Structures are given as structure tokens and as C-alpha cells.
Amino acid sequence: MRVAFQLLDCDYILPNGHPVIRIFGKTEDGKSVVCFHEGFLPYFYVLPKVKDKEISEFLKKEFNNLIVNVEEVKKFLPIGYNPEKVKLLKITLSDPSKVPKVKEKLLSSGLVKEAYEADILFRYRFMIDYGLFGSRWYEVEGIPVNTQNVKAKIKLTLKKIKEIEPKESKFRILTFDIEAASEGLPDPENTEIIIISLYFDPPYKKKRKLALVATKKINGDNILSFESEKEMLKEFLNIVDSYDPDIILGYNILRFDFPFLLKRLEKNKLPKTLGRCSTKPAVHKKFGQTERVNVPGRIVVDPYPILQEYNKKGMLRFKRFGLGDVAEQIIGEGKIDIPHSQIKEIWEKGSKEELRKLVDYAIKDSEITYKVFNTLKLIDTYLALSRVSGALLQDVLDGGEASRLEILLIREFDKHGFVVPLKPSDKEVMKRTEERSLKGLKGALVLDPVVGFHKNVIYLDFASMYPNIIIGYNICPTTILTKKYDVETIEAPNKVKFVSKKVREGIFPKILRQLIESRNKVKKKLKKEKNEKVKQALNAEQLALKILANAFYGYTGYLRARLYLLDIANAITASGRFLISKTKTIVETKTNYKVVYGDTDSVMIKADTEDIEKLFKIGEELAELINSELGVVKMKIESVFKTLLILSKKRYAGLSLEKSDTGYKEKIVMKGIETVRRDWCTLTEETLEKILEIILKEEKPEKALLYIRDVIQKLQNNEIPIDKLVIYKSISRPLHLYKGVQPHIELVKKLKKRGVANIPGIGDRVGYVIIQGPQMVSKRAEDPEYVKQNNLKIDSQYYLESQILPPLERVFEALGYKRQDILNLGKQLSLSSIVNNGKAKKVIGFDGFVCSYCNETYETITLSGRCIKCNGPIYFYKGKEKVKEILWSN
DNA sequence: CCGACGCGGGG
DNA sequence: GTGTACGCGTCGG
């Protein structure tokens, strides 16, 4: 028979001492497939120190029936340029799980110098050797198999397999969430699961939502109720089995729901076979601090770590990563409001209505988790990464950048006759760490910024700088010169030499050329494409190609990489530093423009016109000039900043204009200035955003100061809505275990004394505001609702100094103020405005701005920083004391 | 400035 | 499963 499917998972079993590979997939019409392949055996390579015969005899003696074959092969060694292949021994054995043992024994025997590829997972050994990639589409020819061990609609042997055109994925997605009733975080050892909520896409028996509840007390439309946890779990297993999902989805299931569920199954003596195999159970493993869940034949997806990755890469920003917060932000729909501390109470003695609400709460969690996943198309990029790198979807989701790249590297190294080194041992990692602290790994160059306010700034950057450096200098473990050869070489700025491309093109550069080339092709297709779904897929693909290309540099400097080489990592950054500083020199010696800032692969150049067209034109000319002098990497104009406020290295905000098909796209760009931070109240975020907008868009810093004054006045007059002042923190342990005094903890203690119902418990988030009073700040934390009801005064001083000012400080510092100045200014301005009814008096001895020539006074600083009447310099006076000369850049 | 903690998400 | 790995912010020295 013949069947076409998308490759989802691959593993192996050892039925009678012989490994059998299993490929799991999904057809275009939604049928699950498993292919079996027998006869493929594990192998690895060693570099002999003694005669081959001695090694084979040693192996026969030690491992007799395990060794299938020992043969001589010729391969290139992976590190250091060497024109000749080297003779290695390829050792084939019958059991993949025994490979580490054999490798260890050989290494410690002293008979071999080195072992290669002895730690490549068997499934990947197979996939690489058969040219199979994760998530790609294949057509398989084989004979139907009848086995009860795996559950799939189609089961067959693998006779022939060939890659085919990709089609649309047809996944069944099961979202689940468990509830448990306990004080504080539930411990699976002795806390039962009370509810399992489920959300199906596509629907299951015409239902999308379903809750399994371990009590007969309630029932309803979307509810299945059970006598006990055990009965409920049994049904859950049934449903997973008959729904047969490809993807199991849930929020934080990796670190909570899955391990919890597996533990409860164990406690109830139920099978843990949630996967497509009746012999291999689902497993949860913890090593170090990372946790992983494996369900044979299915993909486990947890949006939580994915969103964290998105946040880190700046694709999305979250203040908090709680499901409620995330859902609110993405789909505008949050959780049902039940404090965690109330679940136990409701479960034990709640009314029918309360129980129903708890069940709805559980269902809602699954529902919004799915909706977030679906809205953001969370696996699209990962599917693309899987297709491009060849790694399995699950591994792409679980692993870091390095693991994704490694599969691709092994494939290419193998293809070109190179072997790949083992992963470093702990000892080796330590050695690398030491070497690094000794020699150092210097990062990118950040040019000294001209701090302050600028106008008409051109932003240029090098396209894919590090990948192009690797290509340009032919940087690769296989081209680095570690011994003397009389061949043409290229020297990186850190004096490390690589053989030139004519001698041997490196594998890194070769892969990178292909990745960049494919990306350009995909981007071209994307531009022409009209179909929204196809566009999404193409966009995911170009993103994946970019991610992989950008991962090379990090990989070479990653301590646990197979192909870690400090000299290479340093060669790449040294080249980057060289290029960016050379760029600055070119601009500043060959033109009259000044570079006001630059970081890693970009420069900001101040120009002398307000004309946007012209600015872009100048940018193009500058790029051309730089390119003609540098060669290796191409500089291009990215955007123009109408206005730009540079605070320090890595921190700036600007009003950026980008060219688009329809004209110019204007937007405020912020780097390193987070307006969203978990420890700031909403007022802080809003004020900071507003201030930056006024400065950048209206170019009226004095108005920004007025705005701050306004906020301060409103604070003092109790005119700011309490909700904007709420600060959130969560309780992490029992109250008595807190050593220091913390506001949210003090508040909870207060609430207890007050005898309030629904006291927040461990894990609950507590929102508080700081009110006026004589005690220390922490003791003055108060419940926002209580403040509203009793009309209490908030501590405006606290909010000013601890919430509003710190972020504004940096902004105004760039404009010439120190923290104390702003603070005084804010106070004084408001004071003098009140006293003088908004008009400052023209006498020395008041707080405000005074022209040093004509004594004209200003309540706020002028835009130019100079007197409007006589253009004289303006000074800030505090009382009779001249505090500071005010100067604006530009 | 460094290194050891410890927390996040979940109930 | 031929594996054994987070990343950042805070606190104390």
C-alpha cells in the first residue's frame, strides 16, 4: 500500500533484541499513520591509536555478540583544516542503548584517541541517514501490519519513502487543564485531581468543551461526573485514546499538569499510556532545572515557555505570564475570577452554583489556552523550524537554539564526508569555561552614544551581519587553520586564520549561503502571495530560516556545543567590531555627518535636513559609500528617525519612519526602555509613554514637564484612579516564613486581623496601594477596595519617588537633569504655579527658569533652552541658588 | 564587581 | 533513551 503523511514523531523499540524504527505521521485527511522499519543498526566512529585488529579483538572479547561489524572508513576530521581524509573505524552494533557503554569502554581502554557520533540519538541517526526531516511530507510504500502495540488508523512497513510537496497540516488538538483542592500548591503525592477540563479542536462527539468532575454532586451539559478520581482518570484515558490527538496542549502543563496527572495515574494504579503506543508510557523527566514530557507519537505543547521565548526575542511583550494576563492581552478574554485559595472551600462545601462556577472556571482555562494558541498560531514557526532543521517538532519546541541547529549541522557534515565530535563531557565543559575566563569572549562593539535629543537621524544596519561575516571570512571548524599549510588563507581581525574559499568552502558558510538564499526566495514568494494561509506558512518559513542563520554565532560560543570553538566565536565578534568601527570612521572622515550611536551591526547618523525624501537618499548614498569600502557585509538603510532621544548605551527612543509600499510608516521605537514592567503600576507606564510621546512627537520637552507636574498634582489631590496605582506581588510561602517586611505580606496580615472574607493564600496575587501614614512604607500597604470605600489618601510622595520618578529619571537625565532636579522641579513648579496662579514672578529668589541676560522668567524650560526674547542662556533657580545651566542638544 | 540563591507558571 | 540542559533578578559579601 501507499500512503502520504506529515512526519510527526520517530522512535524505536527493541522487541526481540533488534531495533525497530517507528515513524508517526498524519495524513492530509486526518488519519494517523505508523511506519515500521527493521534492519537499521546503530554505529559510531573511532580514531584508532593502535592496530585495527587489536580494537576488533578487544570489542569481540568485551562485547562479543553486541558487535555486528567493524570496518575501516575514510572521513574528514571536523575541527581544524586538513586536506586529507583520515582512516577511522566504523563500529556497528545491534542495540542502540548499549552504544554509550561500548564508547566509554573504548575510550578508557586507551586503544582509541577519539570517538565520533556515538551520542546521536538513534532516531536521528536513522532520519539523517534516510534523509528524513521532521514535519515534512513523505509518501511511503509498504505492507500493512497488524499490531496492537501502536494505535493508528494506518500501520505499515517501510519499503520505500520519498519526500513530497508539503500540504496543509491536519492536527487534532486536545487542550486540558486540571484542578486540585488544597491549601497552597497541591502536592500530587496526597492531593487528588478534582476536575479535568478539556477543549477539543476539531470537536469531539460534536462538543468543544467538556469537564470531567470527580463528584456526583453536579452534572450538566458539558459535564461528566464520577464517583471518584480514579473513575474520572479512567474516562480521561478513554477520551485521549478515542479522540487520538496529535497535539496535547495546556498552560504550564510541562511543569504542573502533566507531572501531576502522571503521578495521580500511578497512585491510582492506572496505565500512563497516553501516547500512540500501548507499551511505552508518557513520561515526565526533570534534569537540572529543565523539565520535559514525552508522549510517544504525540506532541506536547505548552504555550508558557513559548511565550517566554517570544518575549525574550521582543516579538511580544508581557508584564506577567499568568494564563489570565496573557489571555487578556492576546484574545481580550481572561479567566473566570476565582481566587486559588477558594477552590478547596468551594469543592468541599460550596453550593451547586458555586461548584458550577468552579467547573466553568476550569473549562474556561482550557478554552482560553487554546484560543491564545490558535490566535498566535503558536506552532507555525516551530513547524517551519522543524522542516528546515530536520529536528522533530517536539524537540524543536523543547530544545534551545543549539539543539535545533545541531541536527542540521550533523546532516551537512555527514553529507560532506566529515564526522562530528561528541557532545562535551562535564569535564570538557569545565575546561572550556576556564579557557573562556582566561582568554575571554569579547562581544559586540557598542559605540559611545551622544546622549541627548537629536533630530533627523539616519539608521543604517548590516543585513544579517554575523551570518555574512561567517560567509565572508569563510569561518568554519573545517577551515580554521590549526596547523601550518601552504595554502591561501583569510585572517580575521583577531588574527585567527581560515583557509580561503578557493581551498575549501567551509560547511558553516555553505549552509548559511543556502539559508539566506532560500529566505530571499521565500520572501519574494511572500510578496506575491495573496492566500492568507499560504502567506502565514511562508512567513513562518522565512522566520525559521532567519532564526537558524542567526543561531550559528551563538552556537560556536555555546559551551555545550559539539562544535564549540572560542577562536571562531571571537573571530566573528572581532570582525563585527572591526566593521562597525570602520563604518564610523568612513562616515566621519569622508563625509561631514556625525555618528551619534551604533550597536553591533547598526549606526545612527545625524543629518542636516528635515526633508524625509532627502534623508532616505542620503542614507542610501552613505550605505553605498560604506559598502564600496568594506565589501564583506552589505549595509542598508533601515529607517529614519525624525526625532531620537538617546539615554545611554542600549537605551533610546525615537520616532521612526520606515519606507513601505504605501509611503512611510511612522512609529515610536523604544529600545531598553521598558514601559511595561511587573513592579510598576499602570500610572508609571502611562506617564512614561506619554512623556516620550510628547518629547518625540511634539518635540516639546517643556510640555512633558508640565505633564509630569500635572500628574504630581493629581496624585496629591487624590485625583488618580486608585486602580492605576495598584502594585501586584504574589505570596510565595506561608506568612510566618517571611523574614523581611514586605508590603503585600503586611497587607495580608492586616486583612486577617480585620476579619475579611477571602484572604489571599499562597500563590495568590495581592494588589495593594501605599497610603499616607507615619509608619514605614511596607506597613502602609492597603487593599485598593478598602481605600476606595474609606476614601483614604494615597502616599503621593511614595508614588512620586518610588514609582513615577525612577523611569522618568533616565529620560530627563538625557535632557540635562539629575534626579534631584526633576524632583525639585516637579514640586517647585507645582508649588509656584499654585502660589503664583500659574505665573512665575520675575525676581531672583523663586524656583524656576530665568534668562541670565534679560531676566525673563519661564515657568518651564523653553524648547531651545534659550530665552525666546533675547536668545540668552537660561538658568534654573532654586531659591537664590543657580542650580544648573540648561542646554538642549539641537 | 562577583557569586550564590530563588523564582517563574501551575492549584 | 546512543541525551541529562533555563535565565534573570536580587541579595549579601
Side-chain angles (χ1 to χ4, degrees):
Chain A
M1 74 188 291
R2 212 175 267 196
V3 57
F5 61 84
Q6 184 171 27
L7 197 160
L8 291 186
D9 195 10
C10 181
D11 70 355
Y12 79 96
I13 44 171
L14 260 178
N16 30 36
H18 300 289
V20 177
I21 295 278
R22 305 188 296 189
I23 303 169
F24 296 87
K26 196 83 197 222
T27 65
E28 199 182 2
D29 55 357
K31 294 194 183 97
S32 50
V33 182
V34 182
C35 279
F36 299 91
H37 180 62
E38 224 167 321
F40 182 71
L41 295 175
Y43 62 87
F44 66 101
Y45 304 96
V46 292
L47 179 63
K49 217 189 254 180
V50 297
K51 286 222 171 80
D52 296 358
K53 221 178 156 193
E54 229 177 294
I55 293 171
S56 348
E57 272 166 16
F58 174 82
L59 287 169
K60 289 248 165 69
K61 202 179 79 203
E62 294 283 330
F63 302 103
N64 191 18
N65 44 5
L66 197 60
I67 309 297
V68 175
N69 190 27
V70 180
E71 83 185 288
E72 235 179 59
V73 290
K74 290 229 155 188
K75 295 276 181 184
F76 288 116
L77 295 185
I79 292 172
Y81 172 71
N82 185 342
E84 304 294 337
K85 285 190 176 177
V86 168
K87 198 194 79 192
L88 297 177
L89 287 184
K90 177 178 175 182
I91 299 163
T92 306
L93 38 170
S94 56
D95 180 350
S97 68
K98 299 293 193 307
V99 174
K101 225 184 206 165
V102 177
K103 171 204 72 179
E104 278 316 316
K105 200 87 185 180
L106 270 176
L107 283 172
S108 59
S109 72
L111 299 175
V112 304
K113 279 192 203 122
E114 204 66 71
Y116 298 94
E117 305 190 10
D119 54 0
I120 295 166
L121 302 191
F122 190 52
R123 60 164 186 260
Y124 279 120
R125 180 79 277 168
F126 169 77
M127 285 172 65
I128 289 168
D129 288 14
Y130 280 66
L132 306 183
F133 289 68
S135 307
R136 291 198 190 181
W137 287 79
Y138 296 95
E139 187 181 271
V140 164
E141 219 183 295
I143 301 159
V145 178
N146 202 358
T147 168
Q148 301 309 310
N149 286 346
V150 289
K151 57 170 291 77
K153 281 258 157 56
I154 303 164
K155 304 170 214 173
L156 73 170
T157 60
L158 187 148
K159 266 188 159 175
K160 265 194 205 160
I161 185 163
K162 70 161 195 234
E163 192 175 339
I164 53 171
E165 276 298 301
K167 306 174 196 302
E168 199 183 318
S169 304
K170 196 100 177 198
F171 296 144
R172 297 172 79 78
I173 304 170
L174 171 65
T175 313
F176 85 102
D177 178 50
I178 63 169
E179 308 296 330
S182 64
E183 283 173 51
L185 271 172
D187 168 16
E189 280 293 337
N190 41 43
T191 314
E192 295 193 352
I193 297 173
I194 55 172
I195 302 169
I196 302 175
S197 73
L198 303 164
Y199 190 90
F200 303 95
D201 178 34
Y204 171 64
K205 295 186 177 166
K206 294 187 182 163
K207 280 198 165 76
R208 284 197 180 271
K209 309 172 196 179
L210 186 62
L212 313 182
V213 187
T215 178
K216 283 284 183 190
K217 275 193 250 173
I218 58 164
N219 42 49
D221 202 16
N222 295 317
I223 298 177
L224 291 178
S225 51
F226 300 89
E227 297 284 0
S228 65
E229 182 194 37
K230 184 164 186 166
E231 293 308 309
M232 175 180 72
L233 289 172
K234 271 189 193 165
E235 180 59 20
F236 177 69
L237 292 174
N238 275 338
I239 290 173
V240 171
D241 207 52
S242 60
Y243 184 67
D244 191 23
D246 304 293
I247 292 173
I248 300 181
L249 180 73
Y251 205 80
N252 205 26
I253 48 173
L254 244 43
R255 299 164 77 171
F256 182 78
D257 301 67
F258 243 111
F260 203 107
L261 175 71
L262 294 175
K263 179 56 107 186
R264 293 313 300 172
L265 286 169
E266 208 173 287
K267 286 268 162 192
N268 283 289
K269 299 191 170 59
L270 291 168
K272 290 186 277 187
T273 45
L274 290 156
R276 285 179 163 140
C277 173
S278 58
T279 53
K280 264 195 189 175
V283 288
H284 165 256
K285 281 190 179 176
K286 207 193 265 183
F287 28 81
Q289 275 87 306
T290 36
E291 302 182 45
R292 284 191 57 173
V293 171
N294 183 39
V295 181
R298 308 193 204 279
I299 322 279
V300 178
V301 182
D302 184 347
Y304 169 53
I306 298 178
L307 294 175
Q308 288 195 97
E309 195 178 355
Y310 275 35
N311 192 66
K312 218 176 73 192
K313 292 206 177 123
M315 298 152 69
L316 281 171
R317 275 222 98 75
F318 295 100
K319 185 167 183 173
R320 287 186 54 92
F321 288 90
L323 172 58
D325 309 78
V326 165
E328 202 86 60
Q329 188 173 326
I330 302 300
I331 56 170
E333 186 181 354
K335 287 170 77 101
I336 289 178
D337 188 29
I338 297 180
H340 285 139
S341 47
Q342 262 188 49
I343 294 175
K344 190 177 161 71
E345 218 179 299
I346 295 175
W347 182 250
E348 282 166 1
K349 40 191 178 231
S351 64
K352 257 200 172 131
E353 288 69 39
E354 284 174 311
L355 269 174
R356 178 73 229 194
K357 189 180 170 195
L358 183 61
V359 171
D360 288 341
Y361 162 92
I363 292 177
K364 190 82 169 180
D365 277 5
S366 285
E367 184 183 354
I368 59 180
T369 299
Y370 170 78
K371 284 186 177 166
V372 166
F373 169 87
N374 193 44
T375 303
L376 293 175
K377 303 281 170 233
L378 276 188
I379 48 163
D380 284 21
T381 315
Y382 294 90
L383 273 170
L385 272 167
S386 168
R387 283 195 298 264
V388 176
S389 74
L392 293 167
L393 180 57
Q394 185 74 72
D395 293 332
V396 173
L397 284 160
D398 293 345
E401 306 254 279
S403 68
R404 289 169 198 165
L405 190 55
E406 209 144 64
I407 297 300
L408 186 68
L409 290 174
I410 295 170
R411 240 177 242 279
E412 293 299 310
F413 271 62
D414 271 15
K415 204 165 93 187
H416 293 96
F418 288 83
V419 288
V420 180
L422 301 175
K423 282 189 184 166
S425 60
D426 284 353
K427 214 176 90 197
E428 175 63 22
V429 172
M430 284 200 0
K431 215 174 101 193
R432 291 176 180 185
T433 313
E434 261 169 58
E435 182 210 23
R436 184 186 291 193
S437 59
L438 215 68
K439 280 210 221 165
L441 173 53
K442 255 181 121 181
L445 179 62
V446 184
L447 299 177
D448 280 327
V450 180
V451 171
F453 184 79
H454 305 278
K455 292 188 69 172
N456 313 320
V457 173
I458 295 163
Y459 186 86
L460 301 179
D461 69 357
F462 288 112
S464 309
M465 185 196 225
Y466 284 174
N468 279 310
I469 285 172
I470 295 172
I471 295 170
Y473 289 93
N474 199 31
I475 293 174
C476 185
T478 66
T479 58
I480 189 167
L481 220 61
T482 51
K483 271 188 271 177
K484 273 212 166 155
Y485 285 101
D486 188 21
V487 290
E488 192 183 309
T489 60
I490 312 171
E491 192 179 276
N494 68 334
K495 302 281 177 202
V496 173
K497 285 181 182 154
F498 302 89
V499 303
S500 86
K501 191 177 161 181
K502 275 179 266 169
V503 180
R504 169 195 284 166
E505 183 180 23
I507 311 232
F508 281 19
K510 200 174 278 180
I511 304 173
L512 280 168
R513 269 200 299 110
Q514 288 163 3
L515 290 174
I516 292 172
E517 207 176 294
S518 317
R519 179 159 183 246
N520 290 337
K521 268 192 203 154
V522 174
K523 278 171 88 175
K524 244 185 214 161
K525 260 200 231 165
L526 185 59
K527 265 201 173 162
K528 282 190 228 150
E529 185 61 50
K530 288 272 151 56
N531 183 310
E532 209 39 55
K533 268 194 174 160
V534 181
K535 266 171 92 168
Q536 262 170 24
L538 288 172
N539 189 47
E541 194 178 338
Q542 69 85 15
L543 191 62
L545 288 161
K546 179 182 168 183
I547 290 171
L548 278 173
N550 286 332
F552 275 73
Y553 158 66
Y555 182 82
T556 65
Y558 173 53
L559 289 169
R560 296 181 189 279
R562 290 171 194 272
L563 295 161
Y564 168 90
L565 276 170
L566 186 57
D567 277 344
I568 286 189
N570 267 321
I572 296 168
T573 52
S575 308
R577 291 193 300 274
F578 169 79
L579 290 168
I580 210 73
S581 66
K582 190 80 191 290
T583 299
K584 182 179 155 84
T585 310
I586 293 170
V587 171
E588 295 189 343
T589 55
K590 308 227 162 175
T591 75
N592 288 322
Y593 301 117
K594 181 158 174 56
V595 173
V596 290
Y597 184 54
D599 183 355
T600 313
D601 59 355
S602 67
V603 284
M604 296 181 182
I605 300 162
K606 198 159 171 170
D608 50 2
T609 172
E610 297 219 346
D611 187 321
I612 304 299
E613 264 321 307
K614 275 188 191 156
L615 283 170
F616 273 95
K617 183 116 188 300
I618 295 169
E620 271 158 34
E621 285 164 11
L622 285 170
E624 214 166 285
L625 170 73
I626 295 159
N627 290 338
S628 70
E629 304 245 343
L630 290 178
V632 179
V633 183
K634 282 270 172 291
M635 180 66 94
K636 66 176 192 308
I637 178 156
E638 193 61 38
S639 59
V640 157
F641 287 112
K642 265 181 157 172
T643 54
L644 175 67
L645 181 63
I646 306 181
L647 307 189
S648 66
K649 283 185 176 179
K650 305 269 184 198
R651 285 168 173 267
Y652 62 83
L655 186 62
S656 145
L657 280 180
E658 252 176 77
K659 250 188 185 159
S660 74
D661 303 336
T662 47
Y664 297 108
K665 241 184 10 204
E666 188 182 275
K667 64 174 176 194
I668 287 188
V669 171
M670 275 189 259
K671 287 283 150 71
I673 310 172
E674 308 107 314
T675 57
V676 183
R677 267 181 52 171
R678 54 180 64 184
D679 44 350
W680 286 349
C681 64
T682 319
L683 178 68
T684 308
E685 284 166 30
E686 280 181 8
T687 311
L688 181 55
E689 264 169 34
K690 191 77 195 170
I691 291 300
L692 286 169
E693 200 181 305
I694 294 170
I695 294 172
L696 295 171
K697 280 197 174 160
E698 301 183 36
E699 300 178 38
K700 286 180 183 158
E702 76 277 23
K703 193 174 162 191
L705 283 170
L706 277 173
Y707 186 85
I708 295 182
R709 190 193 63 178
D710 213 42
V711 170
I712 295 168
Q713 275 187 349
K714 281 191 176 141
L715 256 175
Q716 286 169 340
N717 299 342
N718 256 5
E719 284 167 16
I720 306 276
I722 298 296
D723 294 337
K724 290 193 179 181
L725 299 172
V726 182
I727 302 158
Y728 290 97
K729 274 194 178 149
S730 49
I731 308 171
S732 58
R733 52 197 140 164
L735 298 190
H736 64 272
L737 288 181
Y738 278 90
K739 277 182 229 151
V741 194
Q742 289 194 43
H744 63 303
I745 302 303
E746 294 305 308
L747 173 57
V748 175
K749 286 182 188 167
K750 224 184 280 181
L751 292 176
K752 273 195 176 166
K753 270 193 204 156
R754 215 174 270 161
V756 179
N758 306 336
I759 305 260
I762 296 174
D764 283 346
R765 276 175 68 196
V766 184
Y768 63 87
V769 294
I770 302 294
I771 56 166
Q772 286 180 3
Q775 304 128 299
M776 64 191 290
V777 171
S778 292
K779 301 264 185 194
R780 286 190 269 120
E782 192 44 88
D783 172 25
E785 287 309 310
Y786 188 79
V787 171
K788 281 186 213 165
Q789 281 159 21
N790 296 289
N791 215 8
L792 296 177
K793 285 223 162 199
I794 57 110
D795 182 354
S796 55
Q797 186 68 15
Y798 169 82
Y799 278 96
L800 180 59
E801 286 183 27
S802 304
Q803 286 279 322
I804 308 290
L805 227 41
L808 295 186
E809 181 187 348
R810 285 184 164 277
V811 172
F812 280 95
E813 202 177 284
L815 297 171
Y817 293 85
K818 290 225 160 45
R819 181 199 173 98
Q820 203 52 41
D821 296 336
I822 314 167
L823 190 59
N824 288 338
L825 183 68
K827 274 197 227 158
Q828 300 302 343
L829 273 177
S830 59
L831 193 67
S832 65
S833 319
I834 295 163
V835 170
N836 300 313
N837 201 18
K839 285 226 162 185
K841 264 195 235 160
K842 198 175 176 173
V843 284
I844 301 300
F846 95 117
D847 300 328
F849 303 91
V850 182
C851 171
S852 61
Y853 291 176
C854 71
N855 273 348
E856 177 68 20
T857 60
Y858 297 91
E859 192 182 334
T860 62
I861 183 65
T862 59
L863 178 55
S864 62
R866 301 189 82 88
C867 180
I868 290 171
K869 287 193 173 154
C870 72
N871 205 33
I874 289 179
Y875 292 79
F876 178 62
Y877 277 84
K878 186 189 167 194
K880 286 188 179 178
E881 184 192 352
K882 186 167 81 181
V883 173
K884 180 159 181 52
E885 193 168 345
I886 310 292
L887 282 177
W888 299 96
S889 159
N890 224 344

